[in-house]
């Protein structure tokens, strides 16, 4: 049976719990053939991400581990580049492109901070029109490859993080569907893979991964490539909930 690897991994250099080396050891213990690190790129307005100086230390540390453990596991130096990430990505072996914020009236609204802040933003910045927030979000997602040159599109429908079972908005609403599909269409002719991302499961926000089943069906109908991703923030979640998706057609077994 094919062994699982993970390429979406956070560490204590950003908002993850563990030092990179502890995660490498866990990956080896689990028999992962590969492990990709993807620290949150620096953005000028959120200190949960890597600092400018921390970014350099991160790169040096992952390169050190890559050499040290070369006989046991293939390690890749990647980054989760936010749409508003302001540092270059040339030093990385791959990029995950993700939208975590929407700029609105000069403020950066976090899409995934908390249910309360999500609801507040909808009221304060969109006059209660949640679909307008979703439209702005997907307009950025549509441009994520152009902006970051990513190999992987991160958590395509992150905007549904607090919306499991459509408890806040209706994901069958024509405006929501139109916005999401426009982003999908803009990205499916690019050389990208889309994540099946279980990160919100390990953190207890959801029972199902991103993207929603209907988006997954649209992706597969378009022949898009998929990659499994735990969006790991703690080493014990490195392969969390990936197993059931392993043998889905279109899932790439490795990134490279
Ligand atoms: Zn992310
Ligand atoms: Zn992430």
């Amino acid at each position: 049976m094919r062994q699982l690897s993970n390429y979406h991994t956070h560490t204590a250099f950003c908002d993850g719990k563990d030092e990179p080396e502890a995660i490498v050891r866990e990956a080896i213990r689990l028999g992962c053939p590969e492990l990709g690190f993807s620290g949150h790129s620096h953005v000028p307005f959120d200190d949960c991400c890597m600092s400018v100086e921390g970014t350099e230390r991160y790169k040096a540390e992952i390169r050190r581990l890559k050499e040290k453990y070369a006989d046991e596991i293939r390690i890749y130096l990647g980054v989760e580049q936010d749409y508003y990430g302001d540092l270059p990505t040339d030093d990385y072996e791959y990029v995950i492109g993700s939208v975590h914020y929407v700029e609105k009236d000069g403020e950066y609204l976090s899409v995934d901070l908390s249910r309360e802040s999500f609801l507040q933003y909808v009221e304060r910045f969109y006059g209660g029109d949640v679909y307008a927030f979703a439209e702005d979000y997907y307009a950025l997602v549509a441009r994520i490859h152009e902006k970051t040159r990513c190999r992987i599109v991160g958590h395509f429908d992150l905007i549904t993080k607090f919306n499991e079972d459509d408890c806040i908005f209706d994901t069958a609403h024509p405006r929501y569907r139109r916005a999401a599909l426009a982003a999908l269409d803009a990205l499916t002719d690019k050389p990208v893979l889309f994540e099946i991302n279980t990160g919100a499961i390990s953190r207890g926000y959801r029972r199902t991964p991103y993207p929603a089943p209907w988006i997954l069906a649209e992706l597969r109908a378009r022949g898009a490539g998929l990659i499994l991703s735990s969006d790991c923030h703690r080493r014990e979640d490195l392969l969390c909930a990936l197993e059931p998706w392993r043998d889905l057609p279109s899932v790439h077994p490795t990134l490279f």
Side-chain angles (χ1 to χ4, degrees):
M1 197 163 61
R2 200 170 80 213
Q3 293 297 312
L4 288 164
S5 295
N6 184 55
Y7 304 95
H8 192 149
T9 312
H10 296 284
T11 71
F13 282 100
C14 51
D15 60 347
K17 180 174 75 73
D18 296 299
E19 296 301 326
E21 190 152 7
I23 305 173
V24 170
R25 288 207 202 94
E26 176 67 0
I28 293 169
R29 191 186 74 77
L30 292 168
C32 301
E34 303 192 331
L35 172 64
F37 285 98
S38 59
H40 280 294
S41 66
H42 179 263
V43 291
F45 49 80
D46 191 339
D47 56 14
C48 286
C49 303
M50 294 191 288
S51 64
V52 174
E53 180 269 322
T55 302
E56 293 309 312
R57 283 190 289 114
Y58 164 75
K59 289 193 263 192
E61 175 63 357
I62 304 305
R63 286 181 183 130
R64 182 185 77 82
L65 296 172
K66 191 182 175 81
E67 279 198 20
K68 178 174 174 184
Y69 290 95
D71 293 340
E72 294 168 85
I73 188 168
R74 281 183 298 279
I75 295 175
Y76 294 103
L77 171 60
V79 68
E80 184 176 12
Q81 185 79 355
D82 184 75
Y83 184 89
Y84 298 107
D86 62 349
L87 295 181
T89 57
D90 318 339
D91 283 351
Y92 298 105
E93 293 172 279
Y94 69 99
V95 173
I96 301 175
S98 294
V99 175
H100 301 102
Y101 320 89
V102 170
E103 186 185 6
K104 179 76 172 165
D105 303 337
E107 287 203 41
Y108 292 91
L109 316 183
S110 171
V111 171
D112 64 336
L113 181 63
S114 71
R115 181 187 158 87
E116 292 65 38
S117 64
F118 183 90
L119 294 172
Q120 274 171 19
Y121 294 151
V122 169
E123 283 314 312
R124 217 173 111 209
F125 291 88
Y126 291 96
D129 182 0
V130 68
Y131 300 103
F133 192 11
E135 284 162 351
D136 280 359
Y137 168 78
Y138 280 115
L140 300 183
V141 174
R143 296 187 55 217
I144 196 68
H145 177 264
E146 168 189 341
K147 187 87 179 177
T148 67
R149 297 290 152 193
C150 54
R151 174 64 178 134
I152 300 174
V153 174
H155 41 61
F156 180 83
D157 54 349
L158 181 69
I159 189 123
T160 63
K161 179 171 179 178
F162 307 108
N163 192 48
E164 190 143 60
D165 302 323
D166 284 9
C167 57
I168 300 175
F169 61 94
D170 177 10
T171 52
H173 192 288
R175 283 176 65 199
Y176 180 79
R177 295 257 159 150
R178 216 179 300 126
L181 283 174
L184 253 188
D185 286 335
L187 291 170
T188 42
D189 64 342
K190 303 287 193 299
V192 293
L193 301 176
F194 292 81
E195 286 185 332
I196 293 182
N197 180 315
T198 60
I201 300 177
S202 59
R203 278 170 279 166
Y205 291 107
R206 296 170 57 107
R207 302 182 309 277
T208 54
Y210 308 109
W214 74 272
I215 294 174
L216 196 54
E218 293 284 349
L219 283 168
R220 296 184 62 197
R222 287 163 168 76
L226 305 170
I227 189 122
L228 301 185
S229 157
S230 71
D231 206 339
C232 174
H233 287 72
R234 303 182 307 172
R235 67 182 186 278
E236 52 269 42
D237 296 329
L238 189 61
L239 300 178
C240 175
L242 297 182
E243 183 73 37
W245 304 92
R246 177 208 310 251
D247 298 319
L248 190 74
S250 333
V251 167
H252 285 222
T254 58
L255 179 54
F256 296 98

